[in-house]
Amino acid sequence: SEPFYSFSVRQSAHVANIGWTGPSPERVLGTTGFGLRMEAMRLEVASPLASGGVEYAVHAANIGWMAWEADGAMAGTTGQARQLEAVRMRLTGGLADTFDLYYRAHIAGYGWLGWAANGADAGSSSRGIRMEAVEVRLVPKGAPAPGTRERAFLDSRTNDPWLDNQIHSIVAANGYNLWNCFRYVAGFRYIGMSIYPTGDWAPPFAREMLVNQGGNCYRYAALFCCLAWELGYDARVVSGHVQSVSMGFAAHGWVEITIGGQRYIFDPDMVGSGNPSMWYQRTYSNPPIGYYDLNCVRIF
């Protein structure tokens, strides 16, 4: 089993309808399976194995990130029915030189996210999603993470409140599942529109797709990219070319998601050309057709 020092970190959480729980040497603060929001938390090092302590900050609804607290002080609020949405944690002193502090958030609708470490953000912001629990692990410096570090923090990438609300509703309606969201986007109707977009085109083109209830390949890509962002994936839209029987090369847009260090192609516009699984999470080395950049150079 992975190294874990069960009595090195002691924590307690203030949970809606329950109040303060703990303090406990267990790994999890809060609850899962009850739909209860965390409102505040405390964290401290018990029986320290080295000099130093622990600091933590929380993101609270309608407040944002609050000040760092340390060594058992309360972070968050009580008596205000205000949910926590994200957390940061870090060790200090000799502990920071000896151990890595890993933690992950359990948020409404999504469940457990990936692991953050040493002051990074875990949970979500700009989405109004309650954090229900936090799991904490203390491991020797440089030891492997307890699990995946992908999708540890979900944040808005669109700067468009209307679009954010639409995207969140679509993701929820599709079970917070990337494949379901891919099939959802593939179901839109095709409408010929402008090509070769530039700049940060995913949010405005995603909005166009929803407003018009259809669009061209770039709008398909834009909407799916925004849905992937909502699910916490490292996604980006790509403008380039694909092989064309009639033209040699055809202008085209698709989505690229990096998972486990590997780049994958997601191309919902092409679903009309064949089995949806052919266009979902394919590597550049094994695509259904050749994918090329704007200079018509093959991407591998």
Side-chain angles (χ1 to χ4, degrees), residues 2-300:
E2 78 283 354
F4 173 70
Y5 298 84
S6 61
F7 290 92
S8 296
V9 178
R10 184 168 58 204
Q11 61 258 342
S12 57
H14 191 278
V15 178
N17 300 332
I18 295 178
W20 284 105
T21 63
S24 168
E26 299 300 325
R27 304 181 186 189
V28 177
L29 299 84
T31 63
T32 62
F34 297 97
L36 300 177
R37 65 182 178 271
M38 284 182 62
E39 300 176 344
M41 58 173 287
R42 299 187 178 112
L43 200 68
E44 62 183 320
V45 175
S47 304
L49 304 175
S51 63
V54 61
E55 296 178 335
Y56 40 96
V58 296
H59 187 284
N62 301 320
I63 294 177
W65 285 106
M66 302 179 70
W68 287 92
E69 304 292 348
D71 303 324
M74 186 185 81
T77 65
T78 60
Q80 299 181 29
R82 192 184 303 276
Q83 68 190 18
L84 297 187
E85 297 174 348
V87 63
R88 299 166 174 159
M89 301 181 185
R90 63 191 181 195
L91 298 172
T92 61
L95 284 172
D97 298 327
T98 309
F99 299 97
D100 288 318
L101 184 63
Y102 282 95
Y103 44 95
R104 62 175 180 164
H106 187 284
I107 66 174
Y110 291 79
W112 288 110
L113 300 179
W115 292 91
N118 302 331
D121 301 341
S124 70
S125 72
S126 306
R127 297 167 183 246
I129 304 173
R130 68 179 178 272
M131 186 168 67
E132 299 175 346
V134 178
E135 185 174 6
V136 183
R137 303 277 186 101
L138 188 64
V139 303
K141 198 72 176 180
T148 181
R149 299 193 64 179
E150 295 180 343
R151 303 177 63 211
F153 183 69
L154 311 183
D155 195 9
S156 172
R157 298 274 298 273
T158 71
N159 295 315
D160 182 336
W162 178 87
L163 180 60
D164 282 341
N165 288 334
Q166 295 294 314
I167 294 297
H168 183 66
S169 296
I170 292 167
V171 166
N174 284 280
Y176 303 90
N177 180 274
L178 190 66
W179 168 250
N180 291 345
C181 289
F182 180 82
R183 294 295 303 272
Y184 167 81
V185 174
F188 278 71
R189 64 193 176 108
Y190 185 90
I191 304 174
M193 292 181 171
S194 60
I195 61 175
Y196 296 125
T198 59
D200 185 14
W201 51 273
F205 278 23
R207 172 184 267 270
E208 286 185 15
M209 186 70 155
L210 292 172
V211 170
N212 296 321
Q213 287 297 291
N216 64 358
C217 59
Y218 303 103
R219 278 73 180 177
Y220 281 87
L223 180 55
F224 181 66
C225 184
C226 289
L227 295 174
W229 285 345
E230 176 75 10
L231 288 167
Y233 286 92
D234 179 11
R236 71 183 190 99
V237 285
V238 182
S239 179
H241 298 89
V242 290
Q243 291 172 320
S244 170
V245 173
S246 60
M247 296 180 290
F249 296 103
H252 191 59
W254 63 93
V255 175
E256 181 181 288
I257 300 180
T258 301
I259 302 173
Q262 174 69 58
R263 295 183 302 164
Y264 292 97
I265 301 162
F266 294 78
D267 198 344
D269 170 57
M270 286 291 199
V271 168
S273 303
N275 188 325
S277 62
M278 291 175 57
W279 308 101
Y280 180 87
Q281 198 169 338
R282 299 297 295 266
T283 64
Y284 282 106
S285 61
N286 185 33
I289 56 174
Y291 283 80
Y292 297 78
D293 65 17
L294 286 173
N295 297 313
C296 297
V297 176
R298 179 72 182 267
I299 302 174
F300 291 100

